[in-house]
Amino acid sequence: MATITTTKGSRSAPTGPDTPAWVRWANDHRKWLFAAPAMVFVAALIAIPLAWTGYLSLTDTEGSVRAESTFVGVQNYLDVLSDTERFWPAVGRTATFTVVALLFEVVLGMAIALLLWRPFKGQKWVRVAILMPLVATPVAVGMMWRLIFDPNIGMANQILGWVGIGPQPWLAGQYTALPTTIFIDVWQWTPMVVLILLAGLTSLSEEPQEAARIDGASTWQRFRHVTLPLLMPTVTVAILLRGIDALKTFDVLYATKGRGGGSFHEVETLNVYAYGLSFDYNEYGVSSTVLILFFLIIIGSMWALTARRKEAKR
Amino acid sequence: MKASPAYRVFRVVALTVVVLALIAPLLWMIAASFKTNVDIYDTGKALVFSPTMDNYVKVLQQANYVQFIGNSLWVAFAATVASLVLGVPAAYSMSRFNMKKSALVVLMARVIPGVSLLVPWYYVFSNLKMVGGSGVLILSHMFVSLPLVVYIMMGYFDSMPEELEEAALVDGLTHIGAFRRIMLPLSVPGIATAGILSIIFSWNNFMFALVLSDADTKTLPVAIFDFVGYASIDWGGLMAAATVVTVPIMLIALFVQKYVVSGLTAGATKG
């Protein structure tokens, strides 16, 4: 291809005998010429820092990254993995937060996407409304819910009062804080699941639906045995994308409960815990250990999910 | 087949509930931003109150928000342009040459917890005397926007027929010329999608600026915390600040809805 020397109608030099050597070189090496800058950026800003974090996790560095530190091997890992006061509860909260939020988001998201599937008058406005929580700044969203859930002046308790339920502590309660932050996550991110599932539904072909209808399948049967199996790959993608972000939730937790996830660490997930270790306590060695374990948990759950998906494809 | 009347009534009711649940809290925030703190504390004045601009005067003048809006805009804009410059050619190469492993490396950035990079970054950039400057903020926000650009643009280039490029070569363009004169102009909608998404994500980003900015260079999500004291919260000012951060981005989403949706759902249906 590249050796065609026709000049008719050309606006730039064709690759021929007259082509300057550097142009030919650039064209021959365009694959890496195009990709390299981004790859170098990623390597410099991500791969090297990550390797460094891996190294720090094997030392007792604290106070300052520059401070004298000794290599302690896997001691940090043994300490962290046997820490039932902060680490394991944080693992539990991260898992609870992610699993419960995802469950609600997928079920509600599926219901809303099905309602929006077929065109109807006013659909455009519903779609606009769905987009709003999704693009709103998470920190601002946290502050907004903080006012609504305020035990004394918040609208939430006001509304509960109208239906005869007593005031709740919401974010301020030791046991209600985590469920309340899960609610906020569901409010903000169910729309994301709706949009993904809606894109999936729109790309489905009509024929299986028609066939099932002619065979006399009920609406529920059509959903259960036709739509859902065809939509499963998209559902997995939604769970994967949303799951990664839910595991790493930080902004809303920090905005509503502040450092350490509140005074009882009631919303302290792994990300909040690692942030606190690094920037409130400067325990760089231990925090790096937590981060490496956190990273492995994220990779592990992604791998489990995609493996299950491949299994389902067979 | 037409939907049954009963289903249509159910759909209207259900979707009204959904829309109210999603929008009412945001309207509540905006309403509170026009209330005095006395009115916010008086639950009887939930809907009927005399609006005041005091909170906005406080936010924009005393709290120096004009500067923080400028910071947020500059960081979002610069990080987006830089990510497009690096990301679009890379996405093209990864799409055309099927560089699955390289793409995976870039996309890993979506998976890694940001905190694990912040400690090394903080150390390196404070040695370079860059912490507190906007350069390091732009670099850190590229960590979010570059993978986004690569991901969206790869999908876009995948969907463009290779024949276009072959025709350009027959017409005497070089490979790079074909990219520059044919593929780039044709991928403008994709670039717009990637750019808008990158601006939104950078504008909303909180954690990097929390660690890497100082009192002069902080972005809006960090500046919101100025209204949260240890003992008490200035609710009126806080809601006005939250509104100033959120409403511009919601307006953008309103006007370029199509791009935002296609960016958010990019690659989701490829299976």
Side-chain angles (χ1 to χ4, degrees):
Chain A
M1 265 301 167
T3 50
I4 288 173
T5 50
T6 170
T7 49
K8 85 179 163 210
S10 71
R11 290 184 295 166
S12 87
T15 353
D18 315 331
T19 317
W22 70 270
V23 173
R24 207 176 314 179
W25 183 88
N27 272 290
D28 289 348
H29 295 84
R30 67 190 187 284
K31 175 178 169 184
W32 287 105
L33 208 59
F34 277 15
M39 301 293 289
V40 168
F41 178 87
V42 168
L45 253 80
I46 296 171
I48 295 171
L50 200 64
W52 195 349
T53 301
Y55 167 73
L56 281 175
S57 76
L58 301 172
T59 69
D60 63 354
T61 312
E62 59 182 338
S64 156
V65 189
R66 265 171 286 189
E68 286 277 311
S69 64
T70 35
F71 191 82
V72 294
V74 294
Q75 191 55 47
N76 285 336
Y77 286 87
L78 297 177
D79 289 349
V80 167
L81 286 171
S82 60
D83 170 17
T84 50
E85 221 159 275
R86 296 288 287 275
F87 178 74
W88 284 110
V91 172
R93 285 183 212 104
T94 310
T96 310
F97 184 92
T98 306
V99 171
V100 177
L102 270 176
L103 204 67
F104 276 99
E105 283 160 20
V106 169
V107 172
L108 285 173
M110 178 69 85
I112 298 172
L114 287 171
L115 284 170
L116 285 170
W117 186 9
R118 304 297 181 195
F120 61 90
K121 223 177 130 191
Q123 193 189 39
K124 202 179 133 216
W125 294 106
V126 180
R127 281 168 175 253
V128 169
I130 280 178
L131 207 52
M132 293 299 119
L134 196 50
V135 296
T137 311
V139 174
V141 164
M143 296 303 181
M144 173 186 93
W145 285 109
R146 216 167 144 165
L147 173 62
I148 295 173
F149 281 130
D150 188 279
N152 301 313
I153 63 169
M155 202 58 205
N157 276 340
Q158 185 88 352
I159 292 172
L160 284 190
W162 293 341
V163 292
I165 302 173
Q168 302 296 319
W170 303 113
L171 290 163
Q174 191 181 345
Y175 301 105
T176 49
L178 192 63
T180 310
T181 54
I182 292 174
F183 171 88
I184 299 174
D185 195 77
V186 171
W187 177 84
Q188 181 159 33
W189 297 109
T190 299
M192 179 77 188
V193 179
V194 174
L195 290 182
I196 293 176
L197 294 184
L198 208 50
L201 282 172
T202 324
S203 71
L204 292 186
S205 112
E206 278 295 320
E207 280 138 34
Q209 294 284 334
E210 277 310 317
R213 199 175 288 145
I214 290 163
D215 288 346
S218 71
T219 311
W220 169 252
Q221 284 172 325
R222 284 210 306 274
F223 171 71
R224 177 68 190 79
H225 298 290
V226 180
T227 314
L228 194 59
L230 287 172
L231 199 61
M232 252 353 246
T234 315
V235 175
T236 313
V237 171
I239 294 176
L240 203 62
L241 290 179
R242 197 67 270 292
I244 295 168
D245 287 343
L247 284 169
K248 294 196 296 175
T249 304
F250 179 80
D251 299 13
V252 162
L253 300 177
Y254 194 89
T256 52
K257 295 298 289 179
R259 293 167 178 225
S263 36
F264 301 101
H265 309 301
E266 52 268 43
V267 299
E268 187 176 70
T269 59
L270 280 173
N271 216 10
V272 176
Y273 182 42
Y275 179 88
L277 281 175
S278 299
F279 296 105
D280 296 338
Y281 299 103
N282 300 335
E283 293 270 4
Y284 297 115
V286 184
S287 88
S288 300
T289 307
V290 172
L291 283 165
I292 294 293
L293 290 170
F294 183 29
F295 185 54
L296 292 176
I297 290 174
I298 298 177
I299 297 287
S301 22
M302 280 180 65
W303 179 80
L305 201 62
T306 42
R308 205 191 59 81
R309 182 178 160 200
K310 278 186 193 128
E311 193 100 327
K313 261 189 183 166
R314 260 181 224 136
Chain B
M1 198 177 83
K2 268 266 181 201
S4 72
Y7 174 72
R8 270 187 280 173
V9 171
F10 168 73
R11 182 169 62 190
V12 168
V13 173
L15 287 177
T16 310
V17 171
V18 168
V19 169
L20 271 181
L22 294 179
I23 297 301
L26 292 164
L27 294 178
W28 185 251
M29 168 185 84
I30 297 171
S33 74
F34 290 105
K35 290 179 188 173
T36 62
N37 275 327
V38 177
D39 281 356
I40 289 177
Y41 274 89
D42 185 350
T43 39
K45 293 197 174 167
L47 294 172
V48 189
F49 59 94
S50 44
T52 168
M53 290 302 288
D54 288 358
N55 295 320
Y56 286 94
V57 173
K58 203 159 48 191
V59 165
L60 293 174
Q61 287 182 354
Q62 293 159 26
N64 219 5
Y65 256 52
V66 178
Q67 186 186 342
F68 304 141
I69 293 172
N71 292 344
S72 268
L73 276 177
W74 165 237
V75 170
F77 175 77
T80 299
V81 170
S83 296
L84 287 174
V85 168
L86 288 184
V88 172
Y92 176 76
S93 229
M94 289 173 187
S95 163
R96 277 293 169 267
F97 298 100
N98 213 10
M99 300 158 73
K100 287 237 170 68
K101 285 204 186 84
S102 306
L104 198 69
V105 169
V106 176
L107 295 182
M108 277 308 272
R110 259 178 107 140
V111 179
I112 296 169
V115 185
S116 59
L117 307 176
L118 270 171
V119 173
W121 285 357
Y122 191 84
Y123 172 67
V124 170
F125 290 122
S126 61
N127 268 2
L128 297 171
K129 303 264 180 289
M130 278 173 75
V131 166
S134 63
V136 64
L137 275 186
I138 293 165
L139 282 177
S140 69
H141 281 212
M142 283 176 69
F143 163 76
V144 180
S145 49
L146 182 65
L148 202 68
V149 168
V150 171
Y151 187 67
I152 292 174
M153 291 313 293
M154 267 184 74
Y156 203 85
F157 285 126
D158 280 345
S159 70
M160 287 168 85
E162 257 172 272
E163 287 78 24
L164 277 173
E165 212 182 328
E166 279 156 20
L169 295 178
V170 171
D171 282 348
L173 289 184
T174 60
H175 282 282
I176 293 177
F179 170 72
R180 201 164 59 84
R181 287 167 189 264
I182 309 291
M183 302 311 268
L184 264 192
L186 285 175
S187 59
V188 163
I191 295 174
T193 303
I196 290 165
L197 260 277
S198 154
I199 285 176
I200 293 177
F201 276 68
S202 168
W203 178 275
N204 285 348
N205 193 290
F206 169 62
M207 194 203 274
F208 294 140
L210 180 65
V211 173
L212 296 172
S213 67
D214 65 15
D216 281 328
T217 56
K218 64 184 167 191
T219 54
L220 287 170
V222 180
I224 288 183
F225 282 85
D226 292 353
F227 292 93
V228 183
Y230 275 105
S232 70
I233 295 175
D234 175 3
W235 286 113
L238 184 62
M239 289 304 113
T243 305
V244 166
V245 183
T246 324
V247 167
I249 216 79
M250 293 200 292
L251 285 178
I252 292 181
L254 204 62
F255 288 117
V256 291
Q257 201 202 135
K258 201 181 72 186
Y259 292 110
V260 178
V261 172
S262 74
L264 285 170
T265 57
T269 54
K270 270 189 296 186

